[in-house]
Amino acid sequence: QSLLGMMKHSNQLDLAQQLTSENRRSKIIILSELVSAIGLQRFRFSERQRIGDNAVCRCLARMAARILLEAEDDIKKGSMETSLDGIFDLLFKAMSHPSLDVSGIALEALSAFVHSEKGLSTRLLPLLQGKAIIPFHLVSGEDINGFEEYRNFRERVLNDALVACYEGCGLFFLESCCSAIEEFCIANQSSHLPYQFEAALFCMIAVSEEIAKPLRRYQHDGSSLINVDADAQQTSSFLERIVSALAKNAFSSTSHPLVMARMCIFLNKYATVFPLCSSENTFETASELALSSFNRSLEGGNYDAFLDSCDVKSPLSESCNALQQLLRSCPAHFSAPTAMNALENAWKMPYACRKVDIEDRESLCSGLCYVISSLPSEQWSVSVENLAKPLVACLSVLAKEADTEKNCDIIPSVMKRIS
């Protein structure tokens, strides 16, 4: 009886395994047929896009994306019994669609396959770079809702897709973005150039964490990327080329407020990597760029209203943030007298021109404190005194105004911000 029970149990297991195998086989056949069928809809998609039928285009893109993601595991295992060319072509057509809704649906699906499908990431990158350029009809600011939709698309869907694309074709990604930035730095001025330039910097910023993270392991021993693996050396060379191109531009193209702000964000994001680059001049050049951007921003106008719609702070604020990170990442570099003088002048200027918000002064002060703490202890008192002089002078002016009862109504608010 025990033997009969074991045989019955074994037969049930075999039957269950057989049914599972048949179900899996049936699923693969059905998915393969669906993939093939929806791939043929790429011709219908083109026709509907031509006549402006966005609703049908959106439905076709959503069906293709859903089927592709449903078959993701089987596709990556190589179990599918049909070609994927048709469904990929449809999704690439959807990716190029002017509607952000349609292109976003396709982009999320394609991003899931950039690692497994050979050549997909290199095919996708140019489209992503094009989508990163702010549409010229949105620049005027007349279509507020349209710009808000685009900004959300770029900061979320597009940003994630760029990260996935970089993970699929890292060196190709860097070469493409680096070459674009170098080209824009020497290109003739045009109304479209600033937005193309800003888009190339946006792409590099989007993948900054993925680039910097594996390189930061060299921070602990203070070594550069010389004599390390080839990929790290190549990454270093691309960053060096970008910083060099930006410096040689001498604010010819980078003087545009959007480009300058994005450039400072780039310097901020890669501040911890620049000291590790093979070329010792890279960090110095990046620091000079940040300081020059700070000085030029003090001389320029107020671009906050223009940049707010792009979800970017003013070039002045972004340059302060970049300086803070650069000072923090390698404070000993700024201990030389010439560097200290330049930093002290930068610290004093906001109190003279009164154009710098308290938050930006805090960023500068934070960076300067890192530099001071890296100095020999006997220099601390003098450095702290120089740091405090502008603030003491400002307080003295306020005290005199209070004594003479001038501007008493604004003194409390100013005192609060200074504290």
Side-chain angles (χ1 to χ4, degrees), residues 37 166 369:
Y166 171 76
C369 287

Side-chain angles (χ1 to χ4, degrees), residues 391-409:
L391 179 58
V392 172
C394 185
L395 289 172
S396 177
V397 171
L398 286 174
K400 290 179 180 178
E401 290 186 353
D403 288 341
T404 56
E405 297 184 356
K406 293 179 180 178
N407 297 323
C408 290
D409 54 333

Side-chain angles (χ1 to χ4, degrees), residues 272-335:
T272 58
V273 179
F274 292 141
L276 308 174
C277 288
S278 304
S279 172
E280 296 180 357
N281 294 329
T282 302
F283 182 82
E284 182 177 352
T285 305
S287 302
E288 290 174 354
L289 268 174
L291 189 58
S292 298
S293 298
F294 174 81
N295 292 331
R296 288 182 67 91
S297 298
L298 284 176
E299 299 169 2
N302 186 353
Y303 304 111
D304 291 357
F306 173 81
L307 295 172
D308 276 347
S309 59
C310 302
D311 199 26
V312 174
K313 296 179 181 178
S314 69
L316 184 59
S317 293
E318 296 297 357
S319 63
C320 288
N321 292 336
L323 280 171
Q324 179 193 27
Q325 291 302 317
L326 289 163
L327 294 170
R328 182 176 181 176
S329 65
C330 192
H333 179 86
F334 299 92
S335 59

Side-chain angles (χ1 to χ4, degrees), residues 5 21 29 40 42 49 99-100 135 159 175 181 203 226 247 260 293 302 310 335 338 352 407:
S21 178
I29 293 173
L40 294 174
R42 64 188 184 276
Q49 182 177 352
S99 168
L100 295 179
N159 193 89
E175 176 61 46
I181 291 172
C203 292
I226 304 174
M260 190 187 298
S293 298
N302 186 353
C310 302
S335 59
T338 52
N407 297 323

